[in-house]
Amino acid sequence: MADQEMEILQGTVSAVVFQNYDNGYAVLRLACEDGQTVTVVGTVPMPAVGERLMVTGRWASHASYGRQFEAEFLERLMPQTQAEILAYLSGRAIKGIGARMAARIVSCFGDDTLRIMEREPEKLAQVPGISEAKAKLIGETFRSQTGLRQLMEFFGLHHLPAELAVRTYKLYGEQTMDLLYDDPYLLMDEGLDAPFGPVDQFAIDLGVAGDDPRRVEAGLLFEMRYNLTGGHSFLPRDKLVLATAQMLSVEPETAKAGLDRLLEGGRLVGDTLAGIDIAYLPELYDAETECAARLLEFAGERYEAPEDLEAMLAQAAGGSGLRYAPQQEEALRAAARTGVLLITGGPGTGKTTILNGILSLYSQMGLKCLLAAPTGRAAKRLTEVTGREASTIHRLLEAGVDPNTGRMFFARDESSPLRADAVIVDEMSMVDVLLLGSLLRAIPPRRRLILVGDPDQLPPVGPGSPFGDMLRSGVLPSVRLTEIFRQAQRSLIVMNAHRVNHGQMPDLKCRTSDFFFLPCRTEEAVAQTITDLCAQRLPKNMGIPSGQIQVLTPTRKGAVGTWSLNKRLQDRLNPPSPEKKERAWGEFSFREGDRVMQIRNNYDIMWKKTDGSAIGAGIFNGDIGTVSSIDPAMETMTVVFEDREAEYDFTQLGELEPAYAMTVHKSQGSEYRAVILSVWGGSGYLCNRSVLYTAITRARELLILVGRPEAVAAMTESVRVGRRYTGLKLRLQEKKS
């Protein structure tokens, strides 16, 4: 039972039992001035052994850990005496300084050590073993860590996450506090992307009025950016105004006045489409209008077919020992004559055959081709099926980050275009309008563009639905492959995918093919069956290693969601061991040997080839790797992504997730030897036909559905896909007319 009265404890941190870099929560031992040592729990960002704290809080009794002090507020008291400073630095409070170096520094500067480190770090070069460069680095690290801790404490008081403080300080440095007092809503800017609710409360705590123009404009911009997650390229102005007014509890006229200011200042772009007044974020407007213009330029290009086209087609077919079907021949002839071609079709309809045929044809025509796909896994698969090098679109465009703003840019654009005669992109259903716009800007005029995809799969995670819009517009050359070839017909994976796509129940009774259904009547049974399949049944009975099995689920939550399944699978496939180091992050502990996934594009993370042949930068959303080592002293974790090795600082672990199980959305563009899909039930947004179809088409050799037949039927019947506000289809049609 917690005592009600607040108390203040003052003392020195003698041990850090636990700390979570995600939210700043820590458990530590505090040696108090009265001689007792107590356990302190609460938000104590980046605690260090040897530092002095003044902690305000209440006593409580924990069922397992006994009496402990729950911190509500704290103040850091920098060490004063030589002994205190030595203890502080020896506890690795400053990254890169160990006990021996701490002793040398303190013996040289005594009680003045911390002032020297903050204000005159160049003097540290007087210490044996410290170069001028090292001295400068120590000073920068000390100031940065001190400023960051203060900011994390400030954020903690206002219930903002510690991880946001880290990102904000990296972006704005020592100016952060001044900038936040001037405009707290900058926390919602690109690169920080904090949620509106906590930032709004923070702003109100700092004295911002309810109808303050900064608040109204921030609310409007939040609504626009929030709707990007729903795939919208724009919003109707009346809907934007009403939604914002309701969210902020202000009059619609106040929200409309804010919208007018944003439009006038260029922070939003207004337009009229199909008679409706709409608003765009500037980058979305530019991307959508430029995509329409560039695609029509490509479509306007017509080329004379080579005189020996028939011989070229015969050679392309002869090289692979096949005869092209009529639809495939149509696609090849179109590729020879047009500037842009859309190729679409479901599994088993010959998209890979067409890709190889076009590559052979273009090679015979003397055209240099570049191949790309949206994700690293999709690019790797494209390389495997074509025998040609393929890259992600981001790598093709040479993505980088501006060190001053932290924003992404592409080195390849109109001024530095791609050097190729033709660009071929696979898995186009995953490409959003922003990425497509960047790609089109980098392709010079009078080049050829081949776009291949399956619009019946899930739409892009980002805004727009450009591949579907292009096909529906009817103004761009396209070939839809519908014939399922005989070899593919022998695969129940292929046939069931087509059944689902046509709204028909998949065959769940067959036990002699590559598609199986295992019924379970409880969520616990589903989770246990999936775990047994991965850990024992498939490796033992079918010779499929657990590393080649991917568990998919429509949802993240619940007993059969990704979080719960990942914990179960980690316990079975990579159990704890004294030989394996761990690092806690949120509710999960990363362990050496874990399979993990990068969940956002990071163009700054450095990597090196595992064979030492090259170095580079950039790990991208969806990249899968294995934790090879964890270094608690240096606070780093190393992950191997196939042939690349990248090092993560502990503050970056929020960019990784366990990947034993992942959502179907995250699996887009990938192919796995074996897929196990949890089918239990859920919202129509997550459990629908597109999700089921996409999941089925991820499996190459084996697919196992585990769950309820009623859930499979419900997903097959549900065609609820949220309507996206996108303008590319209309813009293509309007410009064409």
Side-chain angles (χ1 to χ4, degrees):
M1 186 77 172
D3 297 330
Q4 294 301 312
E5 290 189 11
M6 201 85 83
E7 290 188 32
I8 298 176
L9 299 181
Q10 186 167 315
T12 302
V13 177
S14 59
V16 177
V17 179
F18 171 81
Q19 60 176 315
N20 187 322
Y21 284 83
D22 185 20
N23 55 24
Y25 180 84
V27 179
L28 51 88
R29 304 275 190 258
L30 191 71
C32 298
E33 294 180 341
D34 61 4
Q36 66 172 328
T37 297
V38 302
T39 299
V40 175
V41 300
T43 301
V44 187
M46 301 171 67
V49 172
E51 70 176 331
R52 296 171 63 234
L53 301 178
M54 181 182 292
V55 186
T56 303
R58 293 181 172 87
W59 288 101
S61 180
H62 191 280
S64 301
Y65 303 112
R67 194 167 185 252
Q68 54 190 24
F69 193 76
E70 296 182 343
E72 295 191 22
F73 307 99
L74 71 91
E75 180 182 352
R76 278 188 161 88
L77 307 171
M78 294 306 291
Q80 301 295 321
T81 68
Q82 186 168 327
E84 289 174 348
I85 294 171
L86 177 59
Y88 174 65
L89 294 180
S90 297
R92 293 192 177 275
I94 307 301
K95 196 172 181 179
I97 298 181
R100 292 182 180 178
M101 184 177 289
R104 292 200 300 268
I105 294 173
V106 174
S107 67
C108 186
F109 299 108
D111 295 351
D112 207 26
T113 295
L114 298 185
R115 188 193 67 80
I116 292 292
M117 292 175 65
E118 180 179 9
R119 300 180 185 179
E120 300 178 88
E122 65 277 1
K123 290 185 177 180
L124 294 172
Q126 300 172 19
V127 178
I130 299 181
S131 65
E132 291 183 2
K134 177 78 170 179
K136 180 181 178 183
L137 180 61
I138 290 174
E140 290 174 351
T141 302
F142 179 73
R143 289 194 299 273
S144 175
Q145 289 186 206
T146 302
L148 177 56
R149 283 176 176 149
Q150 292 172 347
L151 185 64
M152 292 173 82
E153 291 164 13
F154 179 63
F155 273 31
L157 290 174
H158 293 281
H159 309 290
L160 293 172
E163 193 241 351
L164 177 61
V166 174
R167 297 205 311 271
T168 308
Y169 196 85
K170 283 183 178 179
L171 195 58
Y172 297 114
E174 296 175 8
Q175 305 176 62
T176 301
M177 294 290 283
D178 291 338
L179 291 171
L180 286 175
Y181 274 105
D182 183 58
D183 183 6
Y185 294 100
L186 66 79
L187 292 173
M188 296 167 53
D189 286 353
E190 184 180 356
L192 298 176
D193 305 310
F196 180 79
V199 174
D200 192 42
Q201 185 59 55
F202 171 59
I204 291 171
D205 290 346
L206 296 185
V208 175
D211 60 352
D212 188 296
R214 294 173 297 175
R215 180 172 187 257
V216 175
E217 292 169 16
L220 288 159
L221 291 171
F222 166 75
E223 281 290 342
M224 292 295 298
R225 294 189 182 117
Y226 176 78
N227 278 280
L228 295 182
T229 63
H232 302 300
S233 298
F234 65 81
L235 287 179
R237 290 192 219 175
D238 58 350
K239 292 183 180 293
L240 173 61
V241 165
L242 289 175
T244 305
Q246 183 175 12
M247 179 181 70
L248 301 180
S249 298
V250 299
E251 294 297 323
E253 291 77 11
T254 303
K256 184 179 183 304
L259 175 57
D260 290 340
R261 289 193 300 272
L262 291 172
L263 293 170
E264 185 177 351
R267 298 176 70 189
L268 291 178
V269 177
D271 201 354
T272 301
L273 206 58
I276 301 174
D277 291 332
I278 59 179
Y280 285 88
L281 291 166
E283 62 269 26
L284 266 297
Y285 177 80
D286 291 344
E288 197 172 86
T289 54
E290 288 177 15
C291 281
R294 293 289 287 123
L295 287 167
L296 290 174
E297 283 181 25
F298 283 114
E301 298 287 357
R302 290 291 186 267
Y303 301 95
E304 290 292 330
E307 292 183 1
D308 53 349
L309 177 60
E310 298 306 319
M312 289 181 175
L313 295 178
Q315 182 174 332
S320 54
L322 56 80
R323 288 187 59 187
Y324 292 121
Q327 289 176 335
Q328 293 177 318
E329 276 205 13
E330 177 190 353
L332 287 166
R333 294 179 190 279
R337 295 188 176 95
T338 61
V340 61
L341 178 64
L342 315 179
I343 300 175
T344 179
T349 58
K351 293 195 298 294
T352 298
T353 300
I354 289 297
L355 273 174
N356 283 314
I358 290 174
L359 285 169
S360 174
L361 176 63
Y362 281 176
S363 178
Q364 295 175 67
M365 294 170 63
L367 302 178
K368 178 186 176 183
C369 295
L370 292 174
L371 277 69
T375 67
R377 287 171 290 164
K380 181 184 178 185
R381 187 161 62 92
L382 185 56
T383 297
E384 292 170 349
V385 300
T386 63
R388 309 282 188 95
E389 183 181 354
S391 70
T392 64
I393 299 174
H394 286 84
R395 289 195 188 282
L396 185 70
L397 299 178
E398 299 178 22
V401 172
D402 186 324
N404 297 317
T405 65
R407 295 182 178 179
M408 184 192 70
F409 69 90
F410 292 115
R412 294 293 181 181
D413 55 18
E414 303 96 327
S415 61
S416 180
L418 296 170
R419 296 177 181 175
D421 302 300
V423 175
I424 299 176
V425 183
D426 195 17
E427 294 288 354
M428 266 300 299
S429 63
M430 296 180 64
V431 179
D432 63 41
V433 72
L434 289 170
L435 186 55
L436 178 61
S438 297
L439 175 65
L440 295 177
R441 279 193 291 273
I443 302 175
R446 292 198 58 79
R447 300 299 191 272
R448 300 170 192 253
L449 179 64
I450 307 293
L451 305 175
V452 184
D454 183 350
D456 295 318
Q457 292 185 24
L458 290 167
V461 174
S465 187
F467 193 57
D469 282 352
M470 285 185 269
L471 289 165
R472 287 189 292 270
S473 73
V475 303
L476 301 176
S478 64
V479 175
R480 181 180 289 272
L481 304 173
T482 57
E483 180 182 351
I484 305 174
F485 290 95
R486 185 175 303 171
Q487 182 178 358
Q489 291 178 12
R490 292 196 289 268
S491 167
L492 197 56
I493 292 174
V494 171
M495 299 310 295
N496 274 340
H498 284 276
R499 287 191 184 100
V500 167
N501 200 31
H502 289 93
Q504 300 169 6
M505 186 72 174
D507 182 355
L508 303 182
K509 297 180 180 179
C510 181
R511 297 279 179 174
T512 60
S513 187
D514 53 5
F515 185 110
F516 298 90
F517 174 72
L518 301 181
C520 295
R521 303 314 301 180
T522 67
E523 288 182 288
E524 173 61 27
V526 171
Q528 187 61 52
T529 299
I530 289 174
T531 305
D532 290 342
L533 285 167
C534 291
Q536 185 174 9
R537 292 165 64 176
L538 293 187
K540 180 179 179 180
N541 300 332
M542 302 193 72
I544 303 177
S546 58
Q548 296 179 21
I549 304 167
Q550 184 58 57
V551 176
L552 301 180
T553 175
T555 181
R556 298 172 66 87
K557 299 178 180 179
V560 293
T562 56
W563 280 109
S564 178
L565 288 174
N566 270 312
K567 289 181 178 179
R568 279 179 175 264
L569 290 166
Q570 183 196 41
D571 288 343
R572 285 289 295 276
L573 301 177
N574 188 33
S577 162
E579 287 76 38
K580 297 175 185 176
K581 297 185 182 68
E582 296 188 12
R583 187 71 214 180
W585 182 268
E587 298 178 7
F588 188 80
S589 288
F590 290 105
R591 185 175 300 144
E592 291 175 342
D594 276 340
R595 186 194 305 178
V596 295
M597 174 173 54
Q598 177 78 12
I599 60 171
R600 64 172 67 102
N601 292 333
N602 188 323
Y603 307 92
D604 287 336
I605 294 181
M606 298 299 297
W607 54 260
K608 62 180 179 181
K609 291 280 190 179
T610 50
D611 62 5
S613 62
I615 61 172
I619 302 295
F620 301 105
N621 186 10
D623 285 353
I624 300 289
T626 302
V627 178
S628 62
S629 65
I630 295 174
D631 188 334
M634 296 306 295
E635 300 185 350
T636 59
M637 185 168 84
T638 302
V639 180
V640 175
F641 297 92
E642 294 183 355
D643 61 345
R644 294 172 296 145
E645 182 179 86
E647 187 176 88
Y648 288 75
D649 186 276
F650 281 172
T651 61
Q652 297 175 302
L653 297 188
E655 298 189 8
L656 293 170
E657 282 187 357
Y660 299 103
M662 69 176 69
T663 63
V664 178
H665 285 78
K666 283 290 186 183
S667 74
Q668 283 180 271
S670 301
E671 187 177 75
Y672 309 97
R673 182 178 176 186
V675 168
I676 302 172
L677 176 65
S678 161
V679 281
W680 181 257
S683 72
Y685 178 76
L686 295 174
C687 299
N688 56 50
R689 186 182 302 171
S690 292
V691 171
L692 180 57
Y693 175 75
T694 300
I696 293 172
T697 56
R698 299 309 92 202
R700 183 171 68 249
E701 294 182 18
L702 177 67
L703 177 73
I704 301 177
L705 272 60
V706 183
R708 299 184 302 133
E710 302 93 329
V712 180
M715 293 180 77
T716 303
E717 294 170 4
S718 175
V719 291
R720 290 200 313 173
V721 178
R723 177 192 171 195
R724 294 188 171 203
Y725 289 115
T726 68
L728 183 57
K729 172 189 169 184
L730 289 175
R731 293 186 188 282
L732 286 168
Q733 292 172 335
E734 287 179 356
K735 289 180 180 290
K736 184 71 174 179
S737 61

